[in-house]
């Protein structure tokens, strides 16, 4: 899948940039075709890569983002993909798309998809989905079901797009073996490394799962799994609920929509939604009831979309994606927090430990999870 990442994560020189001053964001916002005069602009959300702002006007609200050009080699492809996807969605029958909204791009005043600032960074404006909210964690299986259903609906809609026609926005994303090679290079390289008992334990945990790390990539390379257009990052923060927090109504953060495996999405969604303690909480616990509700709703909504070979690798995907994220957080910690935005030193190491603890908890419940997958997808 494209070039392997050359850093902890795909961008070799990635560095968590300081937020641009709001006046600059406001000046940029005025370059877009907003429906009403701009009133205010303020930072929004907790994304780790791009800079995001809420734009308030006398009319509708918008979301303005500066795309991280050190992570995404060609940010313009993100805009082209999103444009293509929203047009595709608009062309589907209402029945297929009911309950799935994707925020549309707002063009610039000159009719372009995005706008470059003086430093060369690309900005995009998106519609803000009204009466929506994100949830800090899932409370009920019904909410998990709503998540599973919207993810399946997204995959069903994307199944109508030829992956060959959709650009790779982030080459090497979710190529776990390449992330592992990078970790090994950093650990074995000449650079000064902050070794600690925690780092050693994490390394041992990862090394003990060498086979798992290869599983999806080797199945993909052997042609056993179909490439599909996927979201890439359907973590809980990227799912919008209605104001009551009951129905999932939209998927956001469509930067990593590109050809990939359905496992990347299902694994990422489950690792995020079924750990109620969150990515930066204390410890990790994988909630079986949430997992079952999410998978059952996904399977029902996907209605036969997944091939048997795909279903057969779901359990592995479920523990691989948190392992991959743990590996990425750990590598970034060792490289000096160049990719994932942190508030304090040590945050990426703690986040790595949490993802690895989640893997361990998933493995502890392997039997029940596999029975649940079989039940949801009709294999047992
Ligand atoms: C990053 O930027 P954000 O928060 O949407 C990362 C995902 C990780 C996630 C963990 C392009 O997503 O892969 O799962 O952090 N995105 C990229 O919170 O690397
Ligand atoms: Mg993202």
């Amino acid at each position: 899948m494209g070039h392997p990442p050359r850093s902890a994560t795909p961008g070799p020189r990635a560095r968590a940039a300081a937020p641009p001053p709001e006046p600059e964001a406001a000046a940029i916002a005025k370059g877009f075709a907003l429906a009403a005069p701009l009133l205010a602009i303020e930072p929004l959300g907790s994304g780790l890569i791009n800079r995001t702002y809420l734009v308030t006007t006398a009319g509708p609200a918008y979301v303005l983002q500066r795309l991280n050009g050190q992570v995404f080699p060609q940010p313009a492809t993100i805009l082209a993909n999103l444009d293509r996807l929203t047009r595709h969605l608009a062309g589907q029958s209402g029945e297929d798309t009911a309950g799935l909204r994707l925020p549309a791009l707002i063009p610039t005043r000159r009719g372009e998809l995005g706008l470059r600032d003086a430093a060369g960074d690309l900005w995009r404006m998106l519609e803000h989905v009204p009466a929506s909210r994100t949830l800090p964690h899932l409370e009920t299986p019904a909410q998990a079901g709503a998540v599973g259903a919207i993810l399946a609906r997204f995959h069903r809609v994307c199944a109508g797009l030829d992956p060959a026609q959709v650009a790779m926005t982030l080459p090497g994303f979710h190529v776990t073996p390449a992330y592992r090679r990078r970790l090994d290079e950093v650990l074995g390289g000449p650079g000064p490394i902050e070794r600690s008992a925690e780092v050693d334990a994490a390394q041992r945990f990862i090394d003990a799962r060498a086979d798992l790390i290869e599983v999806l990539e080797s199945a993909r390379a052997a042609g056993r799994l179909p490439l599909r257009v996927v979201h890439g990052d359907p973590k809980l923060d990227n799912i919008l609920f209605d104001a009551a927090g009951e129905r999932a109504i939209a998927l956001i953060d469509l930067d990593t929509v590109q050809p990939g495996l359905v496992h990347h999405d299902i694994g990422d969604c489950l690792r995020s939604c079924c750990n109620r303690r969150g990515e930066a909480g204390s410890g990790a616990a994988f909630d079986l009831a949430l997992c079952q509700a999410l998978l059952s709703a996904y399977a029902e909504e996907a209605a036969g979309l997944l091939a048997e070979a795909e279903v057969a690798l779901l359990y592995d995907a479920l523990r691989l994606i948190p392992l991959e994220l743990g590996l990425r957080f750990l590598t970034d910690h060792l490289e000096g927090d160049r990719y994932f935005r942190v508030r304090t030193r040590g945050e990426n190491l703690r986040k790595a430990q949490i993802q690895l603890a989640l893997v361990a908890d998933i493995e502890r419940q392997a039997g029940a999870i596999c029975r649940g997958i079989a039940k949801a997808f009709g294999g047992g």
Side-chain angles (χ1 to χ4, degrees), residues 49 233 235 238 253 255-256:
I49 309 291
D233 186 18
K235 61 179 182 181
N238 291 337
D253 184 13
D255 305 343
T256 48

Side-chain angles (χ1 to χ4, degrees), residues 46-50 71-72 170 173 232-233 235 238 253 256 268 271 279 325 328-329 339-340:
S46 50
L48 300 177
I49 309 291
N50 300 315
V71 167
F72 296 100
L170 195 47
F173 192 50
D233 186 18
K235 61 179 182 181
N238 291 337
D253 184 13
T256 48
D268 193 60
R271 67 125 197 112
E279 269 176 32
L325 186 57
R328 294 173 63 197
F329 281 139
Y339 186 95
F340 294 109

Side-chain angles (χ1 to χ4, degrees), residues 22 107 123-124 158 184 237 259 354 372:
E22 257 98 83
W123 295 68
R124 68 173 175 181
C158 287
D184 288 346
D237 276 352
I354 287 169

Side-chain angles (χ1 to χ4, degrees), residues 217-230:
E217 261 310 284
S218 52
R220 187 199 61 76
R224 291 201 302 274
L225 299 174
L227 271 189
R228 298 177 182 274
V229 175
V230 298

